[in-house]
Amino acid sequence: MTPWRLALAGAFLLAALAPSAWASATPAGGAGQSIYLRGTLGSGAPLAATRESGGVGIIGADAACVNCHQHSGLGSREGRLSIPPVAAEYLFHSRAQNAGEPVLPYVEGVHGNRDPYTDATLARVIREGVDSEGRPLGFLMPRYALGDEDMAALIAYLKELSQRRVPGVTGTLLDFATIVTPDADPVKSHGMLDVLEHFFAEKNSFPFKPTPQMRTSGRTQYAKSMYMANRHWRLNVWTLTGPAATWGAQLDKRLAAEPVYAVLSGIGGSNWAPVHEFCERNAIPCLWPNVEVPVVAEQDFYPMYFSKGVLLEAQLIARTILGPDNHSAVDAVEQVYRADDSGGAAAQALAAELKGYGVAVHSTVLPRDARADRVTAAVRAAALHKNARGQALVLWLRPGDVASLREVPAGAGTVYLSGLMGGLEKSPLPEAWRERARMTYPFDLPDKRRVRLNYPLGWFTFRHIPLLDEQVQTDTYLACSLLADVLNHMADNFARPYLVEQLQDLLEHRLITGYYPHLTLAARQRFASKGGYLVRFRDTGGTALVAEGEWVVP
Amino acid sequence: MIPNSTLRVRTTILDDACRGGVALRLASLAGAALLALVAPCRSAAAADGSPSAAAGGPTTSLRDYTVPSIRLVRDDGKTVSLEDEMNDGRPIVLNFIFTTCGSICPLMSSVFSQFERRLGPDASKVHLMSISIDPEQDTPARLREYARKFHAGREWQHYTGTLAASVAAQRAFDVYRGAKMSHNAVTLLRAAPGKPWMRIEGFVKPEDLVRDYKQQLLAGR
């Protein structure tokens, strides 16, 4: 960006310290909120609405305002369709007659020039679909049957949507946290932090200008251009300690001491649930952590993941075992994993996927500190179970354990290896196993993703960032660049839900998607990459892979 | 049958004619006769929730599309050929949706639902098809759940498949806009194989869809 554009960027920013500073992530609950978010009236009855054409009625959650106007109340854009913002500031904002009045940040669905609403005309438009100037709204907007009390609650909620300041955002600074759990791999953590620190340093190396309050020219009342948020980024590294039961309290304490706008990247081990829960409870976007076992709760709003990790691998294995007709080729599955590792959740997920299909699933759990020769013994014992239709052996093991495998036991059947845990194409799988084992590969194939990785890998090289784990580090880079992109796009709207909504919409347009063939999200979709491959090694040595079939979305 | 290249030209002309764009220039290139296929565009305004569009309803036009040779996965889990699904002799009403869509799709799907109900016993003679534009998310199980929510009858099927297959279907019917959030409300009607498609852009009301459907059937005989 040229200095000239940067200067302009500064000129277009609203000081976040202004008295009516920007929207809150979590306005207080209450009747208005439950109408808006859940479609439930104060009485507990479902919200009901109709459209002008008789018959197309909607009710309850389907009628909730959030479906179109979004959590932020800032509306959205779908194709040629504009969903206007309904956060009260946008509804009640007077026409800009005088140059010098503060303006509202631009959002895509905003109406140009319209009489401001009053409580009375707002109630009328919600009930009758007639706008502040007496014009009827289009077919998409339902007409809501709301009593006076519910209407007052809803309007109060729309006013709350605009009122609070966003923690972690000032006129000059954006605070972010990254979270490291004690069970995270230390080498991968180091690699991740290295990328984050360099990204932040580079972000802050641009020259800064003061951010004067944006004012109207007298002709338009909205800032029409979208410019980079001209603020420093500050990284707070929250390293957790002790048992998982205490992480929530540790995070709350850190948040109170260091209010952050969002949590970026981060790294976990086999348990990310306390972090996920912290993010959702505090309404903090938690963007793209490096976790093998994410929390599957797609109704939650604030945490976003690249993929389901080992849970996706379990689904890929189940899909392969069951085949297209859900008719299992084997009647037994033997799994091997270490206690307190991601394999536990994966094994459980696989057992759940196979339930009801006549497959006996058995797991051997090795103590977390068992010597490597115990692994070979456990694998041999697992292979001894004799079954009529044959069996599958599933190894949820780390590279150290994989390397220690000896001969392939005679009754092993089909062997599946977790790529994510076992080291992907760099897995030190002994020669005897390389032809036999099928590895789950929840990423695009190395040949196909190579071009997409050129940029981040070159970026690492230039900055002398050692490549400790390519996938973790390029995922971290991807997380950073997605955040930077979306903040550019958001101009000066820092409402946390708006960040999430904008990321959802932006993601599918992203071409440089690192390890993933494509990424897409939407409301109630929290895993951006949804499939993977089953691969095997091509040769007795080296890292070349052969895909067994196409990209599978289980 | 008109060769493919001609069809492409025709589609371009009709698009532009409805957008009020460079139709005249193109029409003079390709011959005014083709324009005769275009039903008058009712309005160029997007049928959105804004007052400016409230006055304009959906726009309609007649098109020729080539059904692509692709395989999709039907909501019952069976892999099917799109051509076979479309060419079983029944009239078709088609749209493109995704199950996590907040605004446009639920409305289009409830219009389909009302359409079925308004047809009454005649509904069994039509084939309603909804193709997912977010196929990796919309598994057959999710599509079945979505269909249940809209009380889909036996004549209404939902389809998913690979991303490439979905994109091919979208391109064939000129609804592909690069990303699911860039999609527009489009409903397509065809009386029988070999007949032109009626394309309805914007939100069509159930009673208008029934009217358009019956008109197409009459024209198709």
Side-chain angles (χ1 to χ4, degrees), chain A residues 51 53-56 62 68 78-81 111 131 136 138-140 508-509 518 520-523 525 530 551 553, chain B residues 48-51 54 100 102-104 107 110 114 118 134 136-137 149 163 179-184 201 203 206-207:
Chain A
R51 291 203 163 89
S53 160
V56 188
D62 294 338
C68 294
E78 254 185 271
R80 287 193 296 272
L81 182 74
H111 279 296
D131 81 353
F139 185 46
L140 187 60
E508 205 170 338
H509 296 280
H518 52 265
T520 165
L521 283 181
Q525 275 189 41
K530 297 169 174 74
W551 172 261
V553 181
Chain B
D48 66 7
S50 67
T100 53
S103 50
I104 296 182
L107 178 53
S110 64
Q114 290 295 318
R118 278 167 189 262
D134 188 16
E136 294 204 337
Q137 173 75 12
K149 188 168 144 184
L163 185 61
K180 62 185 184 302
M181 285 303 284
S182 306
H183 72 149
N184 292 307
E201 294 255 2
F203 293 118
E207 60 270 29

Side-chain angles (χ1 to χ4, degrees), chain B:
Chain B
M1 199 63 202
I2 308 168
N4 272 341
S5 57
T6 316
L7 287 182
R8 270 199 298 277
V9 170
R10 179 189 294 183
T11 302
T12 311
I13 293 165
L14 300 191
D15 270 346
D16 286 319
C18 282
R19 289 177 194 140
V22 287
L24 277 180
R25 187 171 58 82
L26 279 166
S28 66
L29 280 176
L34 284 178
L35 273 183
L37 275 168
V38 196
C41 302
R42 287 181 200 147
S43 161
D48 66 7
S50 67
S52 58
T59 64
T60 58
S61 56
L62 290 180
R63 312 286 184 98
D64 281 323
Y65 296 117
T66 305
V67 178
S69 302
I70 52 168
R71 298 181 81 72
L72 294 174
V73 179
R74 206 164 53 196
D75 48 19
D76 60 2
K78 286 211 167 60
T79 300
V80 294
S81 137
L82 181 61
E83 287 165 312
D84 291 349
E85 290 293 292
M86 287 194 159
N87 294 337
D88 67 358
R90 285 181 291 175
I92 289 167
V93 186
L94 167 69
N95 68 12
F96 293 81
I97 52 99
F98 62 102
T99 63
T100 53
C101 167
S103 50
I104 296 182
C105 317
L107 178 53
M108 290 204 295
S109 296
S110 64
V111 168
F112 266 35
S113 180
Q114 290 295 318
F115 172 79
E116 263 189 323
R117 199 172 304 170
R118 278 167 189 262
L119 283 186
D122 285 345
S124 61
K125 294 173 190 153
V126 65
H127 189 194
L128 288 119
M129 301 177 70
S130 295
I131 299 177
S132 171
I133 63 170
D134 188 16
E136 294 204 337
Q137 173 75 12
D138 293 339
T139 56
R142 286 199 176 102
L143 288 177
R144 284 196 297 274
E145 192 188 322
Y146 184 81
R148 259 197 303 280
K149 188 168 144 184
F150 290 98
H151 314 290
R154 279 190 312 174
E155 52 283 337
W156 183 6
Q157 269 81 47
H158 291 73
Y159 299 84
T160 182
T162 63
L163 185 61
S166 171
V167 169
Q170 294 173 60
R171 284 189 194 281
F173 290 97
D174 189 23
V175 294
Y176 183 67
R177 296 294 178 267
K180 62 185 184 302
M181 285 303 284
S182 306
H183 72 149
N184 292 307
V186 174
T187 310
L188 297 139
L189 300 174
R190 191 188 67 179
K195 301 290 177 193
W197 290 85
M198 179 182 209
R199 180 185 180 99
I200 307 171
E201 294 255 2
F203 293 118
V204 61
K205 294 175 188 169
E207 60 270 29
D208 294 342
L209 186 59
V210 170
R211 181 202 59 209
D212 289 341
Y213 169 73
K214 288 184 172 164
Q215 271 177 6
Q216 284 305 297
L217 285 194
L218 284 175
R221 281 199 192 109

Side-chain angles (χ1 to χ4, degrees), chain A residues 362-435:
Chain A
H362 180 260
S363 297
T364 305
V365 189
L366 291 157
R368 58 183 299 172
D369 50 2
R371 282 186 10 213
D373 55 2
R374 288 278 304 278
V375 177
T376 293
V379 167
R380 196 178 295 135
L384 285 178
H385 296 103
K386 283 288 166 219
N387 297 284
R389 274 184 290 153
Q391 74 166 23
L393 179 64
V394 182
L395 305 177
W396 303 104
L397 297 174
R398 299 286 170 188
D401 289 337
V402 169
S404 74
L405 293 171
R406 298 283 168 261
E407 79 288 359
V408 184
T414 316
V415 178
Y416 294 95
L417 174 70
S418 160
L420 202 50
M421 293 181 66
L424 299 175
E425 63 273 19
K426 290 187 181 143
S427 180
L429 194 65
E431 194 179 324
W433 291 78
R434 285 172 66 101
E435 291 177 31

Side-chain angles (χ1 to χ4, degrees), chain A residues 67-364:
Chain A
N67 292 324
C68 294
H69 296 286
Q70 309 293 319
H71 279 72
S72 63
L74 295 176
S76 64
R77 185 155 193 98
E78 254 185 271
R80 287 193 296 272
L81 182 74
S82 284
I83 310 275
V86 292
E89 274 181 309
Y90 286 87
L91 298 174
F92 295 116
H93 194 269
S94 61
R95 289 174 189 272
Q97 300 295 351
N98 306 311
E101 280 181 15
V103 297
L104 293 172
Y106 174 80
V107 293
E108 283 195 285
V110 77
H111 279 296
N113 208 4
R114 174 192 61 198
D115 284 348
Y117 279 94
T118 61
D119 283 15
T121 56
L122 186 53
R124 184 181 69 179
V125 75
I126 294 168
R127 288 191 179 119
E128 298 164 30
V130 176
D131 81 353
S132 60
E133 298 180 339
R135 294 172 301 182
L137 298 194
F139 185 46
L140 187 60
M141 173 68 184
R143 280 62 169 145
Y144 287 90
L146 277 180
D148 290 344
E149 215 168 293
D150 284 322
M151 182 63 79
L154 178 59
I155 292 175
Y157 181 74
L158 298 182
K159 290 176 180 173
E160 282 177 44
L161 273 177
S162 292
Q163 270 177 3
R164 292 209 207 149
R165 189 171 301 166
V166 186
V169 180
T170 73
T172 53
L173 187 66
L174 293 175
D175 260 298
F176 298 99
T178 197
I179 297 172
V180 180
T181 65
D183 56 343
D185 180 306
V187 175
K188 291 178 182 178
S189 296
H190 186 82
M192 175 199 77
L193 288 172
D194 212 2
V195 173
L196 283 172
E197 279 157 10
H198 276 89
F199 198 95
F200 275 62
E202 179 154 308
K203 201 81 197 133
N204 295 337
S205 67
F206 282 98
F208 278 77
K209 296 276 179 188
T211 56
Q213 183 155 359
M214 194 161 26
R215 290 182 189 280
T216 165
S217 66
R219 286 194 297 277
T220 64
Q221 75 233 71
Y222 302 105
K224 288 226 167 118
S225 306
M226 287 177 275
Y227 283 100
M228 194 173 88
N230 192 21
R231 289 169 169 85
H232 274 283
W233 286 25
R234 183 164 62 191
L235 181 65
N236 300 272
V237 181
W238 293 352
T239 305
L240 303 176
T241 55
T246 66
W247 297 352
Q250 290 179 47
L251 288 168
D252 288 341
K253 211 171 148 189
R254 292 303 292 264
L255 181 64
E258 297 160 355
V260 296
Y261 175 45
V263 174
L264 176 62
S265 192
I267 189 161
S270 57
N271 184 6
W272 189 252
V275 182
H276 178 106
E277 193 270 331
F278 161 82
C279 297
E280 189 65 14
R281 175 163 45 85
N282 289 287
I284 295 179
C286 281
L287 311 173
W288 327 115
N290 296 289
V291 288
E292 292 169 343
V293 191
V295 176
V296 181
E298 299 200 70
Q299 74 283 4
D300 287 353
F301 184 71
Y302 291 96
M304 289 184 164
Y305 301 95
F306 283 127
S307 91
K308 281 187 193 164
V310 293
L311 307 177
L312 170 60
E313 293 190 304
Q315 290 178 316
L316 286 168
I317 293 170
R319 184 84 343 259
T320 311
I321 288 174
L322 293 176
D325 309 325
N326 283 336
H327 188 74
S328 175
V330 300
D331 56 7
V333 169
E334 293 288 336
Q335 310 191 81
V336 182
Y337 63 90
R338 279 189 188 259
D340 301 325
D341 201 358
S342 304
Q348 215 178 349
L350 179 55
E353 292 284 331
L354 295 174
K355 201 173 176 183
Y357 292 105
V359 184
V361 181
H362 180 260
S363 297
T364 305

